[in-house]
């Protein structure tokens, strides 16, 4: 295929401008949890209270932990209760718990390459599902008519068995987490695929990773990455 | 981001035309290392000295070596020191070493089908990661504030334990390598995905495979391929 | 991003029409070899003589044969010589033989889900490689300067140890084969990926499956499928 150098030059100029304006890059934070601990965690500050009849929670997560090891991926706890915990279970399944027993999904295991993970739940139907790298899991009915209570703390890296305490090193997160976004509605499959492929989508109204405020505790490192 | 409908229309028309004219093929060199040796290697001639506080290094690599076998993927050595070595470790993990101990990543093993592999490292934060077929690994903090020294030799195929010598046949590369490109900055995730899918991207300023100069030693064969 | 419903409607109409016209579905034949035999085979009638200094051969193939079993995938033989045989070897490797010893590739095994397989070979350099579902294998140098001779017979399903005879039931093909296309040149990586993803590409000038003529022998069934 023939293409003059001059034409090529202008195509490059145009594409560069068009792409920068249109689909451009974003620099975001990547949280690195370098090793097992019972004191390293990151508290995320939500934009609105977590008073929820539905949610979509997404994150990019990579870990080299393998085999029989529970891994906490997200924990939201009020004074006396766990409100929303996302886990990698002992047997590799992924799960979340709103109160009491959780709902578990048999999906490909997490690993050293980043997985884009989303969790959806809607109180009115109880419909819950995961999205792993944009692919939807089967749907399970879970905690119909339940409401998540506000005024707790959201943390990454540890599972609090009391309010911000009683951490178990054998449940701690090791690896990297970034791009944690949360909405108080269930997003469409197409929108979740767009988030996975890094197209611009409506920002999370609970957590928007591009503007999120968080507090670091222990040996967590924060590095920039360009999506 | 706002974009008028009219502008959109013209962008689509332009992109369609541009892509048709341009997206065309590129002929590049493929280096074939047909068997184990302690004398076959290819020296790559860089465009600028490797005086580096950050880099992105990408290549397409396929090998049928399996099991407990170290495989050297890239070696940059100055007179008395290894400066940057990329390895497939005995246990299948991929790694790189800037000086002393390296950083290892548990990712899918190399194999007989080509893997597109990129390594990124940034001295200011120590953030390092791999990209395997466009998918990012977890991030690890490694060699913060280190600088890679210039005026050495870059070779493919062998691990030099002295300056261009002391090769170990049991670490040699067997298979094919091509499309080796290197930048003195960390590219964005999106750009690395574009490289993987063979979209046109900014050329490597250290190595640009389309115009690279190299010197063949031993039984390495060079064949053309059209991307 | 805002986009009026009316404009959306017309974009959808346009894309639908364009895709239907352009990349739309094609009904092709699928050859089903229901069981082991030493007499079921399909002879393909080439458009031009197989007087070849280079080729690309692609097919979609699925089989439930497993373990230690040779499987013939394609056989071209002149009066007294095998000219081009493609095999699944006893150990699962894929291979092809132009004359005498063949060239073998360690790639993922065939299975019950269709594999899109392409073989490329170029006499001038000897460069040969496979593409499995669009992914390129390592490159091997094989039969440099050789020429494939014309005026033989191409068959699927059996390996002829004499001219259209001496079939071995333990090498016969069981499963389904379709979309067999062949060119007298090496196609680019990008074109082969387009064939895999069923985009329209230049038709095979030796075999074009959409217009191919073939002769059925034995218990081979021919069914339609829509790509």
């Amino acid at each position: 295929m023939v293409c003059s150098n001059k034409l090529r030059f202008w195509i490059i100029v145009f594409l560069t401008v068009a792409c920068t304006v249109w689909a451009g890059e974003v620099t975001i934070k990547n949280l690195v949890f370098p090793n097992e601990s019972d004191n390293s965690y990151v508290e995320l500050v939500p934009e609105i209270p977590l008073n929820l009849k539905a949610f979509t929670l997404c994150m990019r997560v990579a870990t080299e932990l393998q085999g029989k090891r529970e891994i906490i991926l997200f924990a939201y706890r009020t004074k006396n209760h766990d409100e929303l915990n996302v886990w990698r279970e002992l047997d590799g399944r992924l799960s979340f718990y709103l109160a009491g027993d959780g709902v578990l999904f048999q999906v490909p295991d997490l690993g050293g390459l980043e997985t884009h993970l989303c969790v959806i739940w809607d109180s009115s139907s109880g419909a819950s599902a995961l999205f792993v790298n944009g692919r939807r899991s089967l749907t399970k009915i879970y905690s119909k008519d339940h409401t998540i209570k506000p005024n707790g703390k959201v943390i990454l890296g540890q599972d609090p068995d009391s309010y911000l305490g009683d951490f178990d090193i054998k449940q701690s997160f090791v690896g990297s987490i970034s791009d944690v976004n949360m909405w108080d509605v269930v997003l469409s499959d197409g929108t979740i695929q767009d988030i996975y492929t890094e197209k611009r989508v409506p920002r999370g109204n609970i957590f928007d990773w591009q503007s999120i405020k968080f507090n670091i505790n222990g040996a967590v490192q924060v590095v920039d990455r360009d999506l």
Side-chain angles (χ1 to χ4, degrees), chain A:
Chain A
M1 223 159 311
V2 185
C3 192
S4 81
N5 285 333
K6 202 164 170 186
L7 177 58
R8 274 198 191 202
F9 171 78
W10 285 109
I11 289 173
I12 289 167
V13 168
F14 180 88
L15 287 178
T16 308
V17 173
C19 293
T20 309
V21 172
W22 200 16
E25 289 168 17
V26 193
T27 299
I28 61 169
K29 301 295 180 191
N30 201 353
L31 304 177
V32 178
F33 296 77
N35 35 46
E36 291 195 329
S37 83
D38 59 4
N39 63 357
S40 295
Y41 68 95
V42 175
E43 183 196 337
L44 306 184
V45 182
E47 301 280 338
I48 56 173
L50 278 76
N51 189 2
L52 303 174
K53 303 288 285 177
F55 71 85
T56 302
L57 169 64
C58 295
M59 64 180 72
R60 296 180 192 275
V61 57
T63 180
E64 292 178 351
L65 294 170
Q66 286 177 313
K68 285 204 169 279
R69 172 68 153 76
E70 288 178 337
I71 309 170
I72 186 76
L73 300 175
F74 181 96
Y76 170 55
R77 188 185 164 92
T78 49
K79 209 82 192 168
N80 296 311
H81 299 94
D82 288 336
E83 291 291 339
L84 168 57
N85 285 357
V86 182
W87 288 95
R88 187 267 192 193
E89 302 277 334
L90 277 180
D91 62 5
R93 283 185 293 179
L94 299 180
S95 63
F96 71 97
Y97 294 71
L98 292 179
D101 288 344
V103 58
L104 287 77
F105 296 85
Q106 186 83 48
V107 292
D109 202 358
L110 300 180
L113 295 180
E114 267 189 10
T115 297
H116 185 258
L117 175 66
C118 293
V119 183
I120 60 169
W121 172 74
D122 176 49
S123 176
S124 66
S125 63
S128 64
L130 303 186
F131 288 77
V132 176
N133 295 334
R135 279 184 73 189
R136 186 181 175 119
S137 73
L138 70 173
T139 299
K140 300 192 176 188
I141 306 304
Y142 174 63
S143 287
K144 190 159 156 17
D145 299 328
H146 175 78
T147 303
I148 298 176
K149 307 290 181 312
N151 305 320
K153 296 279 192 189
V154 171
I155 68 173
L156 304 176
Q158 299 289 343
D159 171 45
D161 286 333
S162 66
Y163 198 57
L164 286 188
D166 283 341
F167 299 143
D168 178 351
I169 191 170
K170 280 296 160 203
Q171 297 179 320
S172 67
F173 179 79
V174 183
S176 54
I177 295 185
S178 68
D179 215 9
V180 181
N181 292 286
M182 192 169 185
W183 294 257
D184 62 356
V185 293
V186 171
L187 299 180
S188 73
D189 293 22
T191 301
I192 289 175
Q193 280 152 21
D194 286 348
I195 295 170
Y196 165 56
T197 55
E198 295 169 10
K199 292 194 192 107
R200 301 273 61 79
V201 296
R203 303 292 185 74
N205 64 340
I206 303 176
F207 296 118
D208 169 5
W209 196 251
Q210 283 184 51
S211 59
I212 200 167
K213 292 189 193 67
F214 51 75
N215 304 312
I216 302 286
N217 297 271
V220 183
Q221 285 161 304
V222 184
V223 291
D224 281 343
R225 64 184 286 189
D226 294 330
L227 280 189

